[in-house]
Amino acid sequence: MPPAAGAPPWGPVAGDAVAPGGVRPAAGASPWGPVATSAGDLRLVPVVPERDLGLLAGWMNDPAVAAYWELAGPESVTLAHLREQLATGHSTPCLGVLDGTAMSYFEIYRADLDPLARHYPARPHDTGVHVLIGGSRDRGRGVGSVLLRAVADLVLDLRPRCARVVAEPDVRNTPSVSAFLAAGFRFSAEVALPGKRAALMIRERALRGVL
């Protein structure tokens, strides 16, 4: 159903009713924001493939994105990836909507239930984050680190049993690794994953007020 006239296309949807982790927001609110950041008001909106596929496929075909996500090609490639994420039961793909404009993509997932857990000392309720900044104008000026910090804080707020937010960017992706470091993550180890060598980045609840 198209949005009402004048309404943003990424308003509340049925998938917003309960946040991953089972925290129910106040009536009419989204469990994933909005939160105020220095870059603007950020809200995470769970992806609806029928609504968001064209936008996401366009981002996946940006050479700077495709180099690491490896999902370039027709929309069917992105759709298959989204369906796989949704089918896991522990991953929530979301659009990052900044001041009403969808400009990023996040996957928030239970790292301890993911194949990633076979490659590092996972702890119960570890939550992983994948990130993609969609527009080139939003890259290289610190926006990514601001959003990553906000998203990690949302995860820690909404998932009280989660003590760590983890990420595993490709070690070659220096801008991404730098963004995680600036967002309060620390480099833990270099790990060999299928198809890449990754920098294991961890943001610990215990150090939330320090880093």
Side-chain angles (χ1 to χ4, degrees):
M1 178 180 295
W10 297 284
V13 295
D16 283 353
V18 179
V23 178
R24 185 175 296 277
S30 165
W32 292 107
V35 292
T37 77
S38 60
D41 288 343
L42 173 68
R43 184 166 176 267
L44 297 186
V45 178
V47 164
V48 176
E50 295 80 6
R51 178 192 63 197
D52 304 322
L53 180 58
L55 177 66
L56 290 170
W59 290 344
M60 294 301 182
N61 278 280
D62 180 327
V65 173
Y68 298 106
W69 282 77
E70 299 181 345
L71 292 173
E75 289 186 354
S76 58
V77 175
T78 299
L79 180 59
H81 176 78
L82 292 174
R83 286 176 171 167
E84 181 179 0
Q85 290 297 307
L86 294 167
T88 67
H90 64 77
S91 178
T92 304
C94 296
L95 289 177
V97 179
L98 190 65
D99 286 339
T101 298
M103 48 70 68
S104 54
Y105 171 68
F106 290 85
E107 292 171 353
I108 301 169
Y109 64 99
R110 280 283 297 273
D112 60 322
L113 302 179
D114 191 81
L116 174 63
R118 297 195 290 263
H119 301 276
Y120 84 105
R123 298 179 187 172
H125 300 283
D126 276 358
T127 296
V129 175
H130 295 145
V131 60
L132 178 166
I133 304 299
S136 58
R137 66 185 180 280
D138 292 313
R139 302 177 197 147
R141 56 188 186 91
V143 173
S145 59
V146 169
L147 301 188
L148 282 168
R149 182 179 291 273
V151 169
D153 283 343
L154 276 172
V155 169
L156 294 173
D157 288 340
L158 290 169
R159 296 183 169 182
R161 290 185 290 178
C162 170
R164 306 191 305 177
V165 182
V166 304
E168 27 79 21
D170 193 305
V171 293
R172 300 170 300 164
N173 193 347
T174 303
S176 181
V177 173
S178 297
F180 279 104
L181 290 171
F185 288 73
R186 62 179 178 82
F187 173 79
S188 177
E190 186 173 315
V191 295
L193 300 180
K196 70 176 181 183
R197 291 199 65 81
L200 179 65
M201 313 296 295
I202 297 177
R203 186 166 189 222
E204 298 185 45
R205 182 184 294 276
L207 300 178
R208 181 176 178 180
V210 178
L211 296 176

